[in-house]
Amino acid sequence: PPVGGPPPVGGPPPVGGPPMGGLAPLRQGYPNHAAPVPGATRPPPPPPRIDPSQIPRLLLPPEGSAPVVYGSSSLLVTSNVADNKNPPPLASQRFVALDEGNASLRFVRPTLNHVPTNKDVLGLTKQPLGLYVTPMAQVEEGEEEVPTVDLAPLGMGPPRCGRCKGYLSCFVKWTRGGAAWECNLCGMSNPCPDAYRCPLDGAGRRLDAQDRPELCRGSVDFAASAEYCVRPVQESIYVFVLDASPAALESGFTECALEAVLDHAQRTANALPAEAIAGANGGG
């Protein structure tokens, strides 16, 4: 036959061409999608990239062990830079907090023990940054109560920054021989009232810093005067809400609750302010 023409019936196929009625052979480099051979075993899957047995886990102290004593003095140096080698106790761990300049973890606990220096670094960590703030948390056994600072005898209220309204703390920087202090939040220089002034030592610290809780403690309660209130001081109001549903009346719960409120009011009447108002509200 002519070159390239069809082969004669029953003749051999052209050299290199596919056989009649068959498929072209698979080219090298392409996967073979042929049906699996019965009885053949599949290769084992590759091992996981993360071995669960190698994941670090938090080790809690044995049950009944003494609580960890945690202070903040080791976190503070002369430049007010935190030491990264002393992590705080876990939230699920028993501990006794020593207020040595930083607020107790019971009052303020960050989600990150090490705060990134800028927002870009925080984005790379893929971790949320926030604070759990519980200012009314109860102190544990072995911890000191939060001190109350009342500067009314000096004729002044709590010192605050004139720009950001931040309160005076042990992290402010004293300048001009104690006549001014620099806010640690916004950097503004604020004058110090004459009645509150005190000389500084060679390191720039006030000589009475250890005698004033607001200058050496991380958590204090300031007694605010009337000028710090945006509205007149409201009189004390006590409201007792009682269950007066038919079930509570039939069971005697409402009567028992009323007797308890009356007994409590009679025993504490002398301790209540003269302008105190008390009322009861029942619902069912």
Side-chain angles (χ1 to χ4, degrees):
V3 178
V9 178
V15 179
M20 293 300 295
L23 297 176
L26 296 175
R27 288 181 291 177
Q28 187 176 2
Y30 283 80
N32 190 353
H33 297 284
V37 179
T41 59
R42 294 184 178 181
R49 299 173 59 183
I50 299 178
D51 187 359
S53 63
Q54 300 298 324
I55 299 177
R57 290 172 172 81
L58 300 176
L59 298 179
L60 297 178
E63 186 177 356
S65 59
V68 177
V69 179
Y70 180 74
S72 59
S73 60
S74 59
L75 296 179
L76 304 178
V77 293
T78 55
S79 58
N80 291 336
V81 178
D83 181 7
N84 298 335
K85 298 180 181 179
N86 188 19
L90 305 175
S92 57
Q93 186 178 3
R94 293 183 58 211
F95 65 92
V96 174
L98 302 179
D99 190 342
E100 300 170 329
N102 272 344
S104 169
L105 294 174
R106 305 192 191 280
F107 304 136
V108 180
R109 178 182 283 271
T111 57
L112 298 178
N113 294 335
H114 305 92
V115 180
T117 55
N118 54 60
K119 188 176 181 180
D120 295 335
V121 178
L122 177 62
L124 295 176
T125 62
K126 306 297 182 181
Q127 297 292 330
L129 177 59
L131 292 174
Y132 292 98
V133 182
T134 52
M136 301 300 177
Q138 296 293 329
V139 297
E140 295 293 331
E141 183 179 357
E143 298 179 348
E144 297 182 2
E145 295 288 340
V146 178
T148 300
V149 177
D150 188 4
L151 300 178
L154 300 180
M156 56 179 291
R160 302 184 68 180
C161 177
R163 177 190 296 166
C164 69
K165 304 304 179 183
Y167 286 90
L168 182 75
S169 70
C170 55
F171 291 99
V172 302
K173 180 180 179 181
W174 293 93
T175 58
R176 294 164 47 190
W181 55 278
E182 184 177 302
C183 179
N184 62 303
L185 300 179
C186 67
M188 179 179 178
S189 179
N190 299 272
C192 180
D194 295 338
Y196 194 73
R197 290 187 183 181
C198 180
L200 308 180
D201 59 11
R205 289 176 53 87
R206 287 175 54 121
L207 298 179
D208 63 346
Q210 295 300 323
D211 299 329
R212 293 191 175 277
E214 69 274 15
L215 300 181
C216 64
R217 300 285 293 272
S219 300
V220 296
D221 287 336
F222 282 108
S225 52
E227 58 267 19
Y228 282 82
C229 301
V230 296
R231 61 181 62 89
V233 180
Q234 187 178 12
E235 64 275 5
S236 302
I237 300 177
Y238 300 88
V239 178
F240 301 92
V241 180
L242 307 178
D243 183 5
S245 61
L249 293 174
E250 294 176 1
S251 64
F253 174 80
T254 304
E255 182 180 359
C256 181
L258 286 172
E259 293 177 355
V261 170
L262 181 60
D263 178 70
H264 180 75
Q266 292 175 347
R267 288 188 290 107
T268 60
N270 296 332
L272 295 177
E275 70 279 2
I277 299 176
N281 183 21

